[in-house]
């Protein structure tokens, strides 16, 4: 007899880059519990977000649409919950549904979570310790470390569910988002060791568009006292101070990741102990990647690899082979159709992504995407990053910094001269050498510009009006 509908647990952290997960070959930490998912299932090596910032990526995940369609272009945007989302469709199909943790898509009116029988979410970014949460519309303060609490509430919900119906649960961690406050339990971790610096730690941004130089997210210059938490030692050289700041930043970041890893272990243990592992699809991902000192930066936003790439690990022992690896390109807009496909529900026409369920079976659908469209709208806000759009193919990346606010919410109306970047990822995986003006790439450049405009039209977005 075919077992009943699979359960789904979607664990998403905030700003957890794949290069801080040992299953992805991290050189700076170990994540034994997150790695259990890779061991029991499939690791996707090329999962990308279509806009590397919290709120927009979450909107794309829920709706399966790009941000110019779902209206959540910036951090100041809110999701209009009257749109179709995959949790609503799962709920309508008889799933018990829950959303626990970081929501960050607005509150009140049409912005509260919809499609969930139970929700208990942080307001906005939320706090690391003793957080206020909004449980089904009612504010309450809880005592404890937020990463632990979100897991406690997730386990409570699982324990109290109706075991005769399938369930879908979103467990969304606030960590390891800035300001990177570790739990008491991990405060001493990495105390006596130095974390290696990334290859591009001393990037000087030469050859690149001015956007890279102008960004205000540098480890040496832009981390503030709240981020560093202790005073900068006196008498350091400029170089020593940069190194010291990196250690302060990355250790707290990795300590926050360690709490997530422990808590992923608690959820996996619960599934094992209650005989739920076999028939549950469990995903670990993050809303985008993050710069871990790469290019001398913290934060995200840019279309560069470290911030574009999302971790995506999926286990479903009944259908997905253990320790499998996939290199095909998948996007955050593909998650919603994929979950609907796994549960044999119709995928609404409005959803723009495609189901990658066949990839999890080791099958490659005909005409599977080999290029993706990206757009960051939040011109100059927060970290002075210029608005841009572009495409990434299997080998190349073309970025156009149109550098204008276009009256998007929360942007700064101060135009900068538009600029282009082109990277050959095979020759230059760290994206240090912008070859846009290199005559050897004239033909490639033209092909990529054509593909950019084709993709832009295909997803229904508009080119910048020059
Ligand atoms: Ca985020």
């Amino acid at each position: 007899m075919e077992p009943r509908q699979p359960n789904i647990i979607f664990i998403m952290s905030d700003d957890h880059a794949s290069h801080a997960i040992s299953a992805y070959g991290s050189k700076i930490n170990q994540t034994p519990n997150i790695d259990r998912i890779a061991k029991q299932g499939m690791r996707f090596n090329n999962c990308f977000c279509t806009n590397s910032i919290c709120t927009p990526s979450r909107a794309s995940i829920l709706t399966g649409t790009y941000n110019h369609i779902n209206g959540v272009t910036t951090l100041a945007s809110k999701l209009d919950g009257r749109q179709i989302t995959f949790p609503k469709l799962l709920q309508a199909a008889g799933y018990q549904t829950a959303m626990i943790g970081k929501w960050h898509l607005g509150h009140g009116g049409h912005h509260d979570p919809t499609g969930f029988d139970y929700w208990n979410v942080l307001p906005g970014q939320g706090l690391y310790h003793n957080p206020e949460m909004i449980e089904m519309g009612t504010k309450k303060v809880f005592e404890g470390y937020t990463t632990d609490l979100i897991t406690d509430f997730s386990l409570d919900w699982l324990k109290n569910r109706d075991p005769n119906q399938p369930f879908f649960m979103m467990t969304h961690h606030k960590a390891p988002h800035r300001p990177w406050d570790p739990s008491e339990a991990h405060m001493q971790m990495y105390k006596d060791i130095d974390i290696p610096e990334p290859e591009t730690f001393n990037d000087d941004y030469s050859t690149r568009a001015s956007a890279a130089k102008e960004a205000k997210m540098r480890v040496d210059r832009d981390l503030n006292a709240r981020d560093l938490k202790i005073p900068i030692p006196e008498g350091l050289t400029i170089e020593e101070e940069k190194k010291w700041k990196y250690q302060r930043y990355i250790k707290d970041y990795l300590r926050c990741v360690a709490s997530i890893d422990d808590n992923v272990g608690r959820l996996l243990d619960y599934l094992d102990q209650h005989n739920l592992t076999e028939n549950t699809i469990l995903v670990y991902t993050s809303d985008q990647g993050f710069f871990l000192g790469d290019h001398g930066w913290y934060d995200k936003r840019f279309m560069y690899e470290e911030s574009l790439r999302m971790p995506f690990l999926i286990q479903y022992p009944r259908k997905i082979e253990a320790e499998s690896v996939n290199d095909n390109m998948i996007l955050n807009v593909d998650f919603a159709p994929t979950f609907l496909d796994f549960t044999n529900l119709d995928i609404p026409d409005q959803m723009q992504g495609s189901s990658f369920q066949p990839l999890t079976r080791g099958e490659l659908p005909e005409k599977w995407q080999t290029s993706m469209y990206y757009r960051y709208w939040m011109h100059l806000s927060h970290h002075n990053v210029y608005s841009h759009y572009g495409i990434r193919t299997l080998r190349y990346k073309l970025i156009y910094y149109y550098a204008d606010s276009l009256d998007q919410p929360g942007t700064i109306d101060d135009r900068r001269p538009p600029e282009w970047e082109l990277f050959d990822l095979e020759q230059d995986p760290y994206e240090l050498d912008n070859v846009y003006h290199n005559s050897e790439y004239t033909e490639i450049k033209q092909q990529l510009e054509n593909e950019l405009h084709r993709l832009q039209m295909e997803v229904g977005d508009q080119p910048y009006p020059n």
Side-chain angles (χ1 to χ4, degrees):
M1 195 182 79
E2 182 75 358
R4 59 151 206 238
Q5 290 283 74
N7 306 304
I8 303 173
I9 297 181
F10 182 81
I11 310 172
M12 182 161 73
S13 53
D14 192 340
D15 296 357
H16 188 186
S18 56
H19 52 309
I21 294 176
S22 35
Y24 280 94
S26 169
K27 296 171 185 160
I28 54 174
N29 69 333
Q30 294 294 318
T31 49
N33 289 297
I34 295 171
D35 292 4
R36 283 163 67 184
I37 308 168
K39 288 201 183 87
Q40 296 187 104
M42 182 172 265
R43 181 184 84 222
F44 279 88
N45 283 338
N46 289 306
C47 180
F48 301 119
C49 58
T50 50
N51 183 356
S52 183
I53 192 86
C54 306
T55 305
S57 181
R58 286 153 199 271
S60 286
I61 288 168
L62 288 169
T63 61
T65 60
Y66 290 78
N67 296 137
H68 59 278
I69 300 290
N70 59 48
V72 184
T73 51
T74 72
L75 279 184
S77 324
K78 295 173 179 181
L79 178 70
D80 186 329
R82 289 169 293 190
Q83 299 182 54
I84 291 179
T85 64
F86 80 92
K88 282 190 201 176
L89 297 172
L90 291 175
Q91 187 186 44
Y95 272 76
Q96 302 167 81
T97 58
M99 162 69 224
I100 296 159
K102 184 169 174 179
W103 173 246
H104 208 198
L105 287 159
H107 291 292
H110 295 299
H111 308 304
D112 282 334
T114 51
F116 302 101
D117 304 329
Y118 174 77
W119 51 275
N120 188 5
V121 299
L122 296 163
Q125 298 283 6
L127 298 173
Y128 269 103
H129 288 95
N130 305 323
E132 181 185 73
M133 293 183 74
I134 308 173
E135 186 183 29
M136 305 291 285
T138 305
K139 287 183 179 172
K140 294 180 187 176
V141 175
F142 296 93
E143 205 171 305
Y145 187 63
T146 302
T147 306
D148 299 332
L149 290 171
I150 288 169
T151 309
D152 293 345
F153 300 146
S154 298
L155 291 170
D156 287 347
W157 185 77
L158 287 178
K159 286 170 193 162
N160 292 319
R161 78 189 198 283
D162 173 0
N164 298 311
Q165 294 298 321
F167 66 84
F168 165 63
M169 180 174 76
M170 303 187 99
T171 297
H172 286 191
H173 290 296
K174 176 225 168 24
H177 192 281
R178 197 182 186 189
W180 315 296
D181 292 338
S183 74
E184 210 43 56
H186 295 102
M187 208 65 98
Q188 303 302 315
M189 204 174 181
Y190 310 113
K191 191 168 163 259
D192 299 318
I193 60 161
D194 277 348
I195 309 289
E197 292 159 5
E199 308 271 346
T200 59
F201 190 52
N202 294 308
D203 188 357
D204 62 3
Y205 318 112
S206 62
T207 83
R208 310 254 282 290
S210 42
K213 290 182 206 74
E214 294 298 321
K216 292 183 177 147
M217 44 201 252
R218 290 195 203 170
V219 169
D220 61 355
R221 191 186 66 185
D222 301 317
L223 286 170
N224 62 33
R226 175 67 181 86
D227 299 325
L228 296 171
K229 302 175 188 88
I230 55 172
I232 302 167
E234 286 177 26
L236 300 181
T237 65
I238 290 171
E239 193 191 358
E240 286 166 349
E241 188 176 306
K242 181 178 178 181
K243 286 170 173 288
W244 181 87
K245 285 180 175 174
Y246 169 72
Q247 295 298 326
R248 280 298 306 132
Y249 153 54
I250 200 68
K251 286 183 182 180
D252 277 350
Y253 179 93
L254 295 177
R255 288 162 181 153
C256 291
V257 168
S259 282
I260 295 174
D261 190 66
D262 291 348
N263 280 288
V264 167
R266 291 175 66 204
L267 269 179
L268 291 172
D269 289 346
Y270 182 87
L271 297 185
D272 287 346
Q273 287 154 9
H274 293 82
N275 211 14
L276 287 165
T277 303
E278 192 71 11
N279 198 41
T280 299
I281 299 166
L282 182 139
V283 165
Y284 182 83
T285 187
S286 171
D287 56 351
Q288 8 71 209
F290 213 66
F291 297 106
L292 306 178
D294 311 283
H295 303 288
W297 289 333
Y298 58 96
D299 214 74
K300 56 254 181 181
R301 299 161 200 270
F302 276 97
M303 200 189 163
Y304 299 135
E305 293 290 272
E306 297 85 352
S307 101
L308 180 69
R309 178 169 279 112
M310 307 162 79
F312 194 93
L313 301 169
I314 181 168
Q315 68 171 52
Y316 180 19
R318 199 157 71 75
K319 294 270 176 86
I320 301 177
E321 199 183 329
E323 291 189 76
S324 50
V325 177
N326 188 287
D327 289 324
N328 294 113
M329 196 181 269
I330 62 168
L331 309 177
N332 58 356
V333 291
D334 299 330
F335 297 0
T338 300
F339 289 125
L340 294 173
D341 196 12
F342 264 119
T343 50
N344 294 313
L345 296 176
D346 289 337
I347 300 166
D349 290 341
Q350 296 96 311
M351 288 191 177
Q352 297 179 291
S354 304
S355 167
F356 53 84
Q357 193 203 5
L359 299 179
T360 67
R361 293 194 301 263
E363 294 164 18
L364 181 62
E366 244 182 275
K367 295 184 183 168
W368 187 254
Q369 60 205 353
T370 54
S371 61
M372 57 87 58
Y373 179 66
Y374 179 90
R375 184 161 185 176
Y376 176 77
W377 298 76
M378 244 173 96
H379 188 54
L380 301 182
S381 294
H382 299 213
H383 293 280
N384 210 47
V385 176
Y386 297 179
S387 53
H388 56 287
Y389 56 68
I391 57 161
R392 188 199 192 281
T393 66
L394 300 179
R395 175 163 174 183
Y396 299 102
K397 188 181 290 176
L398 180 72
I399 307 174
Y400 179 54
Y401 297 92
Y402 61 92
D404 194 354
S405 90
L406 293 174
D407 298 325
Q408 293 296 312
T411 58
I412 295 169
D413 188 9
D414 182 5
R415 245 187 113 177
R416 302 293 157 89
E419 287 176 277
W420 292 88
E421 283 181 335
L422 169 60
F423 299 102
D424 182 341
L425 300 172
E426 200 173 285
Q427 302 292 324
D428 177 29
Y430 294 119
E431 299 165 299
L432 297 171
D433 187 17
N434 171 23
V435 294
Y436 187 81
H437 301 288
N438 181 336
S439 58
E440 284 173 39
Y441 287 87
T442 305
E443 208 172 311
I444 301 281
K445 190 167 76 180
Q446 193 53 56
Q447 287 167 7
L448 290 169
E449 280 182 30
N450 294 344
E451 177 64 5
L452 168 63
H453 292 126
R454 187 195 69 78
L455 262 184
Q456 193 166 46
M457 202 182 287
E458 184 180 281
V459 303
D461 199 10
Q462 302 293 321
Y464 179 72
N466 278 308

